[in-house]
Each structure stands twice: as structure tokens, then as C-alpha cells.
């Protein structure tokens, strides 16, 4: 087996953290992922045996696809995102300061630590020579917003035909086999604008939205009372944004509510739409002045893979062998690109390092766990691809 140098990992992660890669869809005017993508590609191209390409995921935002190995065995895909959220309020977000075996900075935890692991692993395998199959590392854009990067990978999945994939989101060295999905929706209630003194003519769209909010609260309580999913708990719903009205002296003509519904494995967007439409139909039947429309928005499906799936079992054995501990299988709550890969027909598990501060003002990656993750992934790569 190859050897992993923690100092090399730390320096690689520090180089990545020092390159801002803020998602421009989250922070208008941000530089995006091109600089870090080009830096990763340039570095990997210096190691013989690694093939590298840039793939335009849309709008000139490049994924990096790096491949090592020409063996006749199986193909394993690794996936990690290059984009980060913004840095407002952070102190020295790009300093890559190291203290107490922690490396600090925006993206260190979410998820440039795992990108560093992918880079170091590719280089080590290439230097080692023969590899039983093929390791395909995808460094993708835009996971923090619309996941156009992994969607671009999935559109061309037949090019690489991976037999399995690992999404290297931070998991505290646990094995992720499920996570929630989400559905975004918008409800607009419409009233009749009139002077505030003319109560006979005016119809209050905001008051009508109040009825919707009461019903959503009831729906939310019902969702939380349902039998929870084994790994991710019950589904949920919340009102995220609301706006309406013209000015203080008028009856509001329109009110707009944006909703997020978190889904669990087994639920569909069609079910969510039916739940919400049933609320509006019921309120309309009770009051002929009630007028509301529902528009469905972004849908991200939930994810689940069986504990008995081969990639999960191989990963579990690698954790036992490399870390000397029983693998912990769990489910996450936030959505990840694993759902897209699974929907494309690739058996996928989630595994990554420890740390804290995703999207927070203080973010750090645990360097000891990063070394451990890299050893485990190396073991999985050789074992799975050599089967």
C-alpha cells in the first residue's frame, strides 16, 4: 500500500485554502472556482500517469476530472466540490493558519480538506505504478448552490462508467448512507388593492397568507409526528421568506411566501406538491375571496444506499483495517451531490474527515483525521478496484 505524508497533506490543503473560490451565485461578484480549478489541474499535470481535463459545467465554470490507473479492474469515482460560501465577518479567511493540528480558513472543512486528500492520493498512486483499476477524481463547481458541477459529470457518466463512487463530504470518519432532500415552493395570495379606508373594496392578501401559514404550521407538526426515517429522522417544512403589500395606507394586493420542505428517502416532489395544493384548495373552498397559486421550484431528491451495498461494505472493512475501529454508519441532514450520482445509477457512499465551521465564521479541518481519511480511501481504491 502507498504511504500518506501528513505534512504533504497539510501543505496541499493550505495551498487550496489560500485560493478564494467563493460561489458567485451566493455572493454576486465573487470570483468563483476557475482559479482553484486551474491550480489543481496544473499541479496534477506535473505527475506522470495522471490524465487531467477541464470540463465546462456551465457559464465558464470548470470541473476538474483527473484519472489515474490503467488496470483491467473496476472503476471508482471520488467527488468533492471546490466552491465555498462567502467570508463576510471572518478574520483571515484565507490565511490557512495551523494551530493544535487544525488548519483554519474558509473551505478548510467544507470541503477543501477532502480535495487535498484526493490530490495527494492521485499523486501517490501515480508514483507507485501499477493500479488494479481506475480512480476517477472529480473536483466540481457549485455544490453550495445548484450543483451544476456534478450534474455535468452525471450527464456524461457513460464516459467513465464508474462501478461506485465516494462523495468525500466531512462525516467525522463515519460512513454516510442517507441524507434528506428538499423541495422549494412559492405560494402567492392575491387580494384587491384599495385605499386603507375603503374596507368594502379592499381584500387583504397578507391576511389571507396568514391562513396559509397556520395550515403550514399544522402540516409541519404532522410531518414531525410521522414515523422517522431510520437515519435522517422525520420530514419537515418551514416558511423561509415572505413579502407583500404596497404601502401602509393601502390594502395589499399580493403576498408571496417561499417555502422549503425537507424530504426523507421514499418521499417525492409530487407528494409535496399535492400536500401544499390540498391546503390551498381547502382554504379556497372555505372562502370564495381566497385566491392563491402554488409554483414548485428547485427539487433535490433524498439519498439512501443499503448498508449491504458492496461499496459500503468495502468502506467499512477499510475503516476497520486502517483505523482499528468499528465503522459507524449514519445519515446526514444536509443535501449532498451523492443524490445526483445515485440517480445516475452509481452506487454511492459518503465518507470524509473531521472539523467544524461549515458556513460559520470560524472554520477548521482536523489534520489527523484528514490523514486517516486518505489512508482509508487509498485502501478502498485498491481493494474495490482490484476485486
Amino acid at each position: 500500500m502507498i504511504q500518506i505524508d501528513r505534512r504533504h497533506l497539510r501543505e496541499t490543503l493550505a495551498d487550496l485554502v489560500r485560493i478564494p473560490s467563493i460561489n458567485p451565485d451566493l455572493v454576486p461578484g465573487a470570483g468563483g472556482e476557475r482559479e482553484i480549478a486551474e491550480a489543481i489541474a496544473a499541479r496534477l499535470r506535473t505527475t506522470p500517469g495522471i490524465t487531467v481535463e477541464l470540463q465546462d459545467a456551465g457559464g465558464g465554470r470548470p470541473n476538474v476530472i483527473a484519472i489515474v490507473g490503467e488496470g483491467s479492474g473496476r472503476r471508482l469515482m471520488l467527488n468533492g466540490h471546490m466552491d465555498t460560501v462567502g467570508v463576510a465577518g471572518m478574520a483571515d479567511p484565507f490565511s490557512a493558519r495551523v494551530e493544535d493540528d487544525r488548519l483554519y480558513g474558509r473551505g478548510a472543512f467544507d470541503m477543501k480538506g477532502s480535495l487535498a486528500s484526493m490530490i495527494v492520493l492521485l499523486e501517490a498512486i501515480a508514483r507507485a505504478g501499477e493500479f488494479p483499476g481506475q480512480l476517477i477524481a472529480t473536483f466540481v463547481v457549485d455544490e453550495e448552490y445548484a450543483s451544476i458541477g456534478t450534474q455535468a459529470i452525471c450527464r456524461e457518466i457513460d464516459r467513465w462508467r464508474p462501478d461506485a463512487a465516494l462523495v468525500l463530504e466531512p462525516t467525522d470518519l463515519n460512513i454516510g448512507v442517507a441524507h434528506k432532500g428538499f423541495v422549494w415552493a412559492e405560494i402567492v395570495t392575491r387580494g384587491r388593492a384599495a385605499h386603507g379606508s375603503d374596507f368594502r373594496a379592499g381584500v387583504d392578501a397578507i391576511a389571507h397568507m396568514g391562513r396559509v401559514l397556520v395550515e403550514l404550521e399544522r402540516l409541519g407538526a404532522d410531518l414531525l409526528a410521522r414515523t422517522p426515517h431510520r437515519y435522517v429522522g422525520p420530514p419537515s417544512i418551514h416558511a423561509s421568506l415572505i413579502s407583500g403589500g404596497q404601502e401602509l395606507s393601502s390594502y395589499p394586493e399580493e403576498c408571496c411566501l417561499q417555502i422549503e420542505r425537507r424530504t426523507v428517502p421514499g418521499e417525492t416532489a409530487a407528494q409535496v406538491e399535492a400536500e401544499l395544493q390540498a391546503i390551498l384548495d381547502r382554504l379556497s373552498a372555505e372562502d370564495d375571496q381566497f385566491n392563491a397559486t402554488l409554483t414548485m421550484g428547485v427539487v433535490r431528491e433524498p439519498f439512501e444506499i443499503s448498508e449491504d451495498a458492496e461499496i459500503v461494505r468495502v468502506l467499512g472493512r477499510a475503516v476497520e483495517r486502517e483505523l482499528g475501529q468499528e465503522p459507524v454508519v449514519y445519515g446526514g441532514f444536509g443535501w449532498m451531490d451523492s443524490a445526483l450520482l445515485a440517480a445516475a445509477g452509481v452506487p454511492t457512499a459518503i465518507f470524509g474527515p473531521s472539523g467544524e465551521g461549515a458556513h460559520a465564521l470560524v472554520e477548521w479541518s482536523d489534520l489527523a483525521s484528514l490523514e486517516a481519511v486518505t489512508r482509508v480511501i487509498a485502501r478502498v481504491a485498491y481493494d474495490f478496484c482490484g476485486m
Side-chain angles (χ1 to χ4, degrees), residues 90-172:
M90 292 187 75
D92 300 322
F94 309 117
S95 68
R97 173 175 60 91
V98 176
E99 184 178 329
D100 297 329
D101 214 26
R102 299 173 176 177
L103 190 146
Y104 289 81
R106 175 56 81 221
F109 178 57
D110 183 21
M111 60 176 292
K112 293 183 179 181
S114 293
L115 302 186
S117 177
M118 291 161 64
I119 291 168
V120 169
L121 180 57
L122 285 164
E123 292 171 338
I125 290 174
R127 287 193 296 267
E130 289 188 11
F131 183 72
Q134 197 170 72
L135 186 67
I136 307 144
T138 57
F139 303 79
V140 299
V141 304
D142 193 47
E143 190 273 348
E144 298 289 3
Y145 185 70
S147 290
I148 64 171
T150 297
Q151 289 186 75
I153 296 294
C154 291
R155 283 195 296 271
E156 298 186 45
I157 201 71
D158 287 343
R159 284 182 55 195
W160 304 289
R161 293 177 286 113
D163 296 289
L166 293 178
V167 171
L168 303 184
E169 290 277 8
T171 66
D172 198 23

Side-chain angles (χ1 to χ4, degrees), residues 191-207 244-255:
R192 185 183 305 116
H195 192 280
S197 65
D198 193 355
F199 61 89
R200 292 183 179 85
V203 176
D204 190 338
I206 294 176
Q246 304 87 255
E247 61 272 325
L248 280 168
S249 60
S250 298
Y251 278 83
E253 185 174 26
E254 187 173 283
C255 183

Side-chain angles (χ1 to χ4, degrees), residues 188-194 198-212 251-255 280-293:
V188 175
T189 51
R190 292 179 175 82
R192 185 183 305 116
D198 193 355
F199 61 89
R200 292 183 179 85
V203 176
D204 190 338
I206 294 176
H208 284 184
M209 188 63 80
R211 301 181 195 174
V212 175
Y251 278 83
E253 185 174 26
E254 187 173 283
C255 183
L280 302 186
D281 292 344
R282 183 165 61 252
L283 292 173
S284 180
E286 294 170 356
D287 181 357
D288 59 10
Q289 285 195 322
F290 181 86
N291 181 359
T293 55

Side-chain angles (χ1 to χ4, degrees), residues 16 35 62 74 103 180 221 290 318 341 346-347 370:
L16 296 176
E35 182 181 359
R74 294 194 290 191
L103 190 146
K180 289 186 176 181
F290 181 86
L341 291 166
V346 183
L370 190 57

